[in-house]
Amino acid sequence: MSDIIVVEDLVKKFGDLVAVNGVSLKIRKGEVFALLGPNGAGKTTTIHIISTLLKPTSGKVSVAGYDVVRSPDQVRKKIGIVFQDPSLDNQLTGYDNMYIHGRLYGLRGRELHEKIVKLLDLVELKDFTYKKVMYYSGGMRRRLEIARSLLHEPEILILDEPTIGLDPQSRARIWEYIRFLKKSYDITILMTTHYMDEAEELADRVAIMDRGKILAMGTAEELKSMLGHDVIYVTLNNDNGDICHFFNFTKSCRSLGGGKIELVVDNASRALPEVFRVVEVHGLRITEVSYRRPTLNEVFLHLTGRELRDSGESHTTPVLARRRWM
Amino acid sequence: MSSSLDALLAMLYRQLKRWWSARSRVIMTVLNPLIWMVFLGLGWGGIFSSQNIPNIPGLSDIPAMAEVIRKAIDSYFKQTFGGVSYVTFMVTGIAVMTAFMGSFISGISVIWDKQFGFLKETLVAPAPRSVIITGRIVGDSIVTTLQSMIIVLLSTVLTSELILTNIPLAMAYVFIASLGFTSLGVVLSLRFSSMEGFQMVVNLLTMPLVFMSGVFYPVTSMPDWMKALTVFNPLTYAVHSVRYWLVGSSTGFNYMNPWTDLAILLGFTTAALSLAVRAFKKATLED
Ligand SMILES: Nc1ncnc2c1ncn2[C@@H]1O[C@H](COP(=O)(O)OP(=O)(O)OP(=O)(O)O)[C@@H](O)[C@H]1O
Ligand SMILES: [Mg+2]
C-alpha cells in the first residue's frame, strides 16, 4: 500500500472529444507528484476524476484503496482539493468559509475553531479572518483555499494549478507552504501545473502530459537525462527533412520541423564548431542557433516538438468558471 | 446519519449567514411588499368601504333607507373579504406573496454558486448531494419565512384586525410553502444555464401565479376560467391558510380549510423537493 493513488488506463470523453486518453499512473504515499502539461492537456479532467467530481468513461482509479466510482464518499474524506477555478463564497468571511467547510466534513465546536485559527495563521491571513472574501486579493484567496483544503486533515492534497494567475511574490509564498507541508505533515501532494519551474522546484516526480496522454514520467533528473547533457537547436534555411545523417557525431539528432533540428551532445561548446563546419560543407545556411542545459521545457520540446511555454499562452484565473459545471 | 446532519446544518448556516451579511438587501426585500401594502391596500381600501360612498341624490331625504343601503354595501364588502377590511385582507396575502417571490428568487443563487464555483466545494464534501441541496432549500425557506414574518409585523401598523397569537401557525404554513417554491426555483435555475432565460421565466411565471391565488382579490369572485386555474395553484392554498389563521375566517372555495390546505401544500412541497433533489443530482453528475 505504498501507492496511495492508482490510475489505470483512464479514459474520459466529452462527446467526441477525448480529454484523457489512456492515462496510467501510481502516486506513492508521501511524495509530491506533479502533472505537467500545456492548456487542454487533460490535467484538470484527470484531477476531477480522481476527486470524484467526474465519472471516468473507462479505466480504474483508486484513492487510498477506495474506488472512486464505487466509494466516492470514502475517497472524499481522504482528499483535500484546491480547484483551478475559484470555489470560495465571496459574500462570506474567510472564517465562515472555513467554518462551513469544517461542518461539511463533520468537525465542530472548539476543535474546529482552533484548527481554523491555526490554519489562517499558517497562511498569513490572520488579519483578514473576519473580512469578506470579496475584499481579498487573488493571492489571499488562493491561500485561503489552501488553508481550507487542509482543515479536515486529508491524507492527500490535490492542487490544480495552485499558482495560476499570481504574481511572482505570491507564487513564491505558495511554493513555501507546499514545501512546508511536505516537510511537516505526513501528506501526499498531487499537483498540476503548466509551469515547468514549478514542477521542477516542488515535485519529487513529474509526469509530462499532453493531449490526454502521459508522455514521460520520473524525477526531473531522470526526465532531463533523456536528453543527455546539452541540447543544441539549429534552424537551417532549408527545410529538407533528411539532414540528420550529416550530424552523426552527436548523441542524437531529431528534426522538429520548420528547419529546426535538435542535437543532443555531451558538451555544446566543443560540438558547435563541428556543427557549423558540417552545415557549411553541405552548402546550407544557419538562420538561428542556441544551446541549453536541458530543463523540463526541453524535455517537452523533445517529446512533442512544441515548446511548453508557447502552448501555455497567457492564462489567468477566470472570474466566472469556463465550464458549465466543473 | 450524523454526518448528513452536519452537512445539512452547514448549508443552512451558510444560507442564513449570506442573508444576514447582506442586510441592506434585506431592507430591499421588505420594502417592495411594503409599497404594495401601503399604496394598494390603503388606496383600494377606501373604495371597498361604505364610508366614501357619495350621497345619492334624493336618498338623503330618507335617512333610514340610506342607512340600509350603506349597511348592505358594508356587509357585502365584509363578506367578500372574510369579515375584515380590504387592507387586512390584502396584507395577509402580501405576506405570503413576499415569501413566494423570495423563494423563487433564491433559486437564482443556485446559478451563482454554479458560476462562482462554490458548488464544487460542496460537491467534494463527503455528504450526499440530496443533503446538500436540501440544506440549501431549508436555509432559504427559513429566510423567506422570516421576511414574511417581518411583513406581518409591519402590517400591524396598517390594521388592528390580525389575530397576532396565530402568527406562529401562519408562519408554519408559510415555511412549508416556501420549501416547495424554493425547490421549484432550484429546478428552474438548473434547467437554465443563462441568467437571462431564468429571469424571463421567473417573471412570466410569478406574476400570473400571484394574480391567480387570491392575494389581491378573493378567488370566489373570479371568472370561471380563472377559478379553474386557481385550483391548481399551490399559492392559493398558502394564501388561504395564512389568511385563515391571521384573520380567522375562510375566504376560499368550499372545500378549502386549514387541513385540506395543509395536505395540499405538503403534497406539493414533497413533490417539488424531490424534483429539486433529482435535478441537482443529475446536474452535478454530468455527462
Ligand atoms: N465539462 C467539459 N465538457 C466538454 N469538454 C471539456 C470539459 N472539461 C474539459 N473539456 C475539454 O477537455 C480537454 C482537457 O481539458 P482540461 O481542463 O482537463 O485541461 P487542462 O490540462 O486542465 O488545461 P488547463 O491548463 O487549461 O487547465 C480540453 O480540450 C477541454 O476543452
Ligand atoms: Mg486545468
Side-chain angles (χ1 to χ4, degrees):
Chain A
M1 251 293 289
S2 67
D3 291 328
I4 195 159
I5 298 179
V6 180
V7 178
E8 283 167 41
D9 286 325
L10 180 64
V11 174
K12 177 67 188 178
K13 294 182 185 159
F14 295 107
D16 287 342
L17 189 132
V18 187
V20 177
N21 191 2
V23 162
S24 297
L25 45 89
K26 288 185 172 148
I27 297 173
R28 297 172 197 145
K29 199 166 160 51
E31 76 175 336
V32 177
F33 188 95
L35 271 178
L36 173 68
N39 288 152
K43 306 180 296 289
T44 299
T45 307
T46 307
I47 292 283
H48 280 174
I49 292 170
I50 292 173
S51 55
T52 76
L53 279 179
L54 285 175
K55 295 250 179 306
T57 307
S58 68
K60 230 174 89 75
V61 178
S62 72
V63 175
Y66 295 103
D67 187 275
V68 291
V69 179
R70 269 179 287 133
S71 343
D73 277 355
Q74 296 300 330
V75 172
R76 289 178 194 151
K77 277 183 202 153
K78 304 279 180 195
I79 59 170
I81 180 163
V82 174
F83 295 102
Q84 179 170 351
D85 300 324
S87 65
L88 294 164
D89 188 333
N90 293 346
Q91 311 257 332
L92 296 180
T93 62
Y95 188 92
D96 274 337
N97 269 284
M98 297 285 281
Y99 179 80
I100 290 164
H101 181 92
R103 295 301 304 258
L104 280 173
Y105 285 77
L107 301 169
R108 56 173 78 175
R110 211 183 157 69
E111 187 201 359
L112 174 56
H113 174 78
E114 277 164 8
K115 277 189 178 151
I116 293 174
V117 171
K118 198 179 119 214
L119 280 168
L120 287 179
D121 197 26
L122 171 73
V123 296
E124 298 162 88
L125 285 175
K126 206 175 184 173
D127 297 341
F128 291 85
T129 304
Y130 298 107
K131 288 241 172 17
K132 283 190 190 175
V133 172
M134 60 170 103
Y135 305 119
Y136 282 32
S137 71
M140 288 160 70
R141 287 177 200 204
R142 219 63 188 140
R143 272 142 56 199
L144 178 61
E145 288 185 307
I146 292 179
R148 186 179 67 175
S149 69
L150 293 169
L151 190 57
H152 56 285
E153 296 180 354
E155 283 177 35
I156 302 156
L157 180 63
I158 297 178
L159 305 167
D160 195 358
E161 311 257 5
T163 64
I164 198 161
L166 299 186
D167 60 58
Q169 264 169 313
S170 305
R171 279 186 78 194
R173 231 149 148 191
I174 286 179
W175 285 13
E176 255 173 59
Y177 300 139
I178 295 174
R179 287 199 198 95
F180 172 79
L181 289 175
K182 185 179 158 183
K183 216 168 54 197
S184 331
Y185 289 74
D186 181 23
I187 197 166
T188 308
I189 298 177
L190 163 60
M191 59 184 286
T192 77
T193 180
H194 63 258
Y195 300 119
M196 49 149 187
D197 54 339
E198 192 159 290
E200 205 160 344
E201 260 318 300
L202 300 172
D204 297 316
R205 286 196 307 142
V206 180
I208 294 182
M209 189 167 185
D210 188 41
R211 297 181 177 162
K213 283 191 191 300
I214 301 236
L215 302 178
M217 191 163 15
T219 64
E221 283 314 312
E222 282 166 1
L223 291 173
K224 285 187 288 190
S225 69
M226 282 169 36
L227 284 185
H229 205 242
D230 283 344
V231 194
I232 301 172
Y233 296 100
V234 191
T235 310
L236 300 172
N237 63 343
N238 183 337
D239 187 10
N240 166 355
D242 199 26
I243 0 187
C244 260
H245 62 269
F246 305 155
F247 300 105
N248 47 17
F249 58 93
T250 62
K251 284 174 83 176
S252 91
C253 168
R254 234 160 61 90
S255 171
L256 299 173
K260 191 167 182 175
I261 298 164
E262 172 199 272
L263 302 167
V264 175
V265 296
D266 277 329
N267 184 328
S269 16
R270 297 242 179 88
L272 271 172
E274 182 64 8
V275 171
F276 291 140
R277 199 189 61 77
V278 167
V279 169
E280 211 177 296
V281 164
H282 290 87
L284 295 168
R285 214 158 48 76
I286 294 180
T287 55
E288 209 184 314
V289 65
S290 66
Y291 79 88
R292 305 172 206 163
R293 286 307 256 318
T295 66
L296 290 179
N297 188 51
E298 279 67 48
V299 177
F300 187 80
L301 182 58
H302 175 75
L303 292 168
T304 64
R306 285 175 293 131
E307 300 253 356
L308 189 54
R309 2 186 139 83
D310 293 347
S311 34
E313 87 282 353
S314 76
H315 193 141
T316 48
T317 310
V319 179
L320 295 180
R322 294 169 298 156
R323 300 180 191 122
R324 233 151 57 89
W325 271 98
M326 297 305 156
Chain B
M1 253 184 18
S2 80
S3 80
S4 284
L5 184 67
D6 275 327
L8 190 97
L9 290 176
M11 290 306 287
L12 213 142
Y13 174 86
R14 177 200 178 225
Q15 298 311 112
L16 289 174
K17 204 60 198 262
R18 267 173 83 93
W19 177 64
W20 187 243
S21 68
R23 257 157 296 173
S24 54
R25 268 213 322 261
V26 174
I27 294 173
M28 282 307 294
T29 55
V30 172
L31 211 62
N32 193 36
L34 210 61
I35 288 172
W36 284 87
M37 254 162 46
V38 170
F39 294 106
L40 213 64
L42 294 181
W44 282 110
I47 291 171
F48 299 129
S49 129
S50 62
Q51 245 73 69
N52 293 344
I53 293 177
N55 274 335
I56 301 160
L59 211 64
S60 53
D61 302 343
I62 327 163
M65 189 68 174
E67 192 54 28
V68 168
I69 291 175
R70 228 176 261 288
K71 279 229 169 85
I73 291 173
D74 256 348
S75 97
Y76 167 71
F77 284 141
K78 285 262 172 184
Q79 214 180 333
T80 308
F81 298 126
V84 289
S85 67
Y86 180 69
V87 186
T88 315
F89 172 88
M90 201 198 76
V91 149
T92 51
I94 294 281
V96 180
M97 183 184 92
T98 307
F100 167 69
M101 295 291 216
S103 302
F104 243 78
I105 301 303
S106 57
I108 287 179
S109 62
V110 173
I111 289 194
W112 282 356
D113 279 1
K114 196 155 90 172
Q115 298 217 315
F116 288 106
F118 182 76
L119 187 80
K120 276 182 301 203
E121 152 75 358
T122 59
L123 293 184
V124 285
R129 270 143 217 211
S130 53
V131 172
I132 299 286
I133 193 65
T134 306
R136 245 204 101 97
I137 291 170
V138 172
D140 282 338
S141 301
I142 291 174
V143 166
T144 48
T145 306
L146 285 173
Q147 281 168 0
S148 173
M149 189 152 90
I150 293 172
I151 290 298
V152 172
L153 293 177
L154 286 176
S155 70
T156 54
V157 176
L158 297 175
T159 167
S160 55
E161 292 172 299
L162 298 181
I163 306 170
L164 298 179
T165 47
N166 276 350
I167 289 179
L169 252 175
M171 287 306 119
Y173 277 77
V174 169
F175 178 67
I176 293 168
S178 293
L179 288 176
F181 291 124
T182 309
S183 303
L184 273 193
V186 168
V187 173
L188 282 178
S189 75
L190 292 181
R191 287 262 177 288
F192 295 92
S193 44
S194 79
M195 280 299 272
E196 294 77 30
F198 185 67
Q199 286 284 16
M200 207 176 72
V201 171
V202 166
N203 286 335
L204 277 179
L205 208 69
T206 51
M207 288 318 277
L209 282 179
V210 166
F211 287 127
M212 287 189 287
S213 67
V215 169
F216 296 107
Y217 33 78
V219 288
T220 44
S221 44
M222 289 176 180
D224 283 342
W225 64 267
M226 216 193 275
K227 271 186 196 153
L229 292 174
T230 306
V231 172
F232 296 102
N233 182 0
L235 190 57
T236 307
Y237 304 95
V239 171
H240 177 264
S241 55
V242 168
R243 191 169 280 146
Y244 176 89
W245 292 116
L246 290 180
V247 169
S249 66
S250 181
T251 51
F253 303 123
N254 286 333
Y255 68 91
M256 289 171 157
N257 63 52
W259 299 113
T260 52
D261 291 343
L262 185 63
I264 291 168
L265 286 176
L266 281 177
F268 157 69
T269 294
T270 312
L273 192 59
S274 47
L275 273 180
V277 168
R278 274 249 306 273
F280 189 70
K281 275 186 181 161
K282 206 172 131 210
T284 49
L285 207 75
E286 85 43 85
D287 306 321

